[in-house]
Amino acid sequence: MKIFMDTANVEEIRELNEWGIVYGVTTNPSLIAKTGHSQEDIIKEICQIVDGPVSAEVISTECIGMVEEARKLSKIAPNVVVKIPCIVEGLKAVRILSAECIATNVTLVFSLAQALLAASAGATYVSPFVGRLDDIGEDGVQLVEDMVNVFRKYEFDTEIIAASIRDLEHVDRVMLAGADIATIPTKVIHEMIEHKLTDAGLKKFLLDYENSKK
Ligand code: E4P
């Protein structure tokens, strides 16, 4: 499972990119709004740091507007992926963009039926929102697992990005479910490296090394 960063914070992306674990980035209008900068400026900067896919979301809710925005966004850098909401107009836009070889990430996916429609329209990626399903008492990871099984069974090329990841348990469970990618908030990626036994083990090794020199 590849790791994408789920943030529009350029400093965070720059820092974690040095770890060598960042394969891509996803943003959304809420994350861009937090930066106080324009989407174009932020996406341009992120694409200078990260070589892999960088998702930028359209604001239009009608096919023609989405397609126009997508064409503009895709000119920012070759690795831009256009995020399209999972609505009827979005499906129409995905079909057009797919024919133009513009990569798409169908977002706000909450059911297996929506995932099938997105993949059928030709989406490059589809993003089930795990945490938001949990928020309404459903099992978001179960949706990811079901999507993995269905996409495998019917041999779809569309890749599954487990999104709306809130904690380490989500990361472990979507990995076990077979998600192609998880897009993870910076805070959770920091938690992924932590283990008290690693810290204790390292402390002991360094102490033993120092003592051996005496
Ligand atoms: C990423 O593609 C999504 O926009 C993001 O994961 C949503 O996460 P949230 O539900 O925590 O806002």
Side-chain angles (χ1 to χ4, degrees):
M1 182 178 77
K2 292 190 179 107
I3 296 168
F4 284 11
M5 287 186 75
D6 196 17
T7 181
N9 183 313
V10 171
E11 289 321 311
E12 291 176 2
I13 294 168
R14 213 183 294 284
E15 186 199 334
L16 266 70
N17 190 50
E18 286 178 11
W19 294 14
I21 49 96
V22 179
Y23 276 83
V25 174
T26 54
T27 65
N28 62 36
S30 309
L31 294 171
I32 295 284
K34 277 193 211 166
T35 69
H37 296 282
S38 74
Q39 165 158 265
E40 190 180 342
D41 287 350
I42 291 290
I43 296 296
K44 205 178 277 174
E45 213 174 333
I46 296 174
C47 289
Q48 281 163 3
I49 304 168
V50 176
D51 295 331
V54 174
S55 287
E57 191 158 340
V58 297
I59 303 302
S60 310
T61 51
E62 301 208 341
C63 172
I64 189 71
M66 290 185 200
V67 170
E68 277 166 14
E69 274 188 68
R71 287 179 183 144
K72 261 193 212 152
L73 287 168
S74 69
K75 287 198 179 86
I76 295 177
N79 51 332
V80 168
V81 172
V82 183
K83 247 175 146 182
I84 306 275
C86 193
I87 56 177
V88 172
E89 292 295 301
L91 295 179
K92 294 188 210 167
V94 167
R95 188 181 60 83
I96 294 168
L97 296 170
S98 154
E100 294 181 16
C101 294
I102 293 177
T104 53
N105 171 0
V106 174
T107 188
L108 291 165
V109 167
F110 294 98
S111 73
L112 205 47
Q114 287 182 319
L116 173 68
L117 293 176
S120 303
T124 318
Y125 303 97
V126 64
S127 292
F129 275 35
V130 173
R132 292 194 199 188
L133 274 171
D134 289 1
D135 290 345
I136 59 158
E138 292 189 24
D139 184 354
V141 177
Q142 186 60 54
L143 173 61
V144 173
E145 198 176 319
D146 292 346
M147 282 172 60
V148 169
N149 289 333
V150 167
F151 281 25
R152 240 179 237 155
K153 182 168 178 162
Y154 296 105
E155 298 178 350
F156 285 123
D157 292 332
T158 306
E159 288 193 76
I160 298 167
I161 305 179
S164 189
I165 295 291
R166 303 273 166 80
D167 51 33
L168 279 181
E169 192 187 335
H170 276 159
V171 175
D172 288 352
R173 289 185 62 212
V174 298
M175 188 169 15
L176 288 166
D180 300 292
I181 296 149
T183 188
I184 309 175
T186 312
K187 180 179 158 285
V188 178
I189 298 181
H190 277 280
E191 286 166 12
M192 287 167 71
I193 190 68
E194 298 296 331
H195 200 288
K196 61 182 179 194
L197 291 181
T198 305
D199 296 341
L202 182 60
K203 202 171 162 193
K204 175 84 167 65
F205 285 154
L206 294 179
L207 189 67
D208 290 346
Y209 169 73
E210 286 304 326
N211 288 339
S212 71
K213 289 196 302 184
K214 286 176 190 162

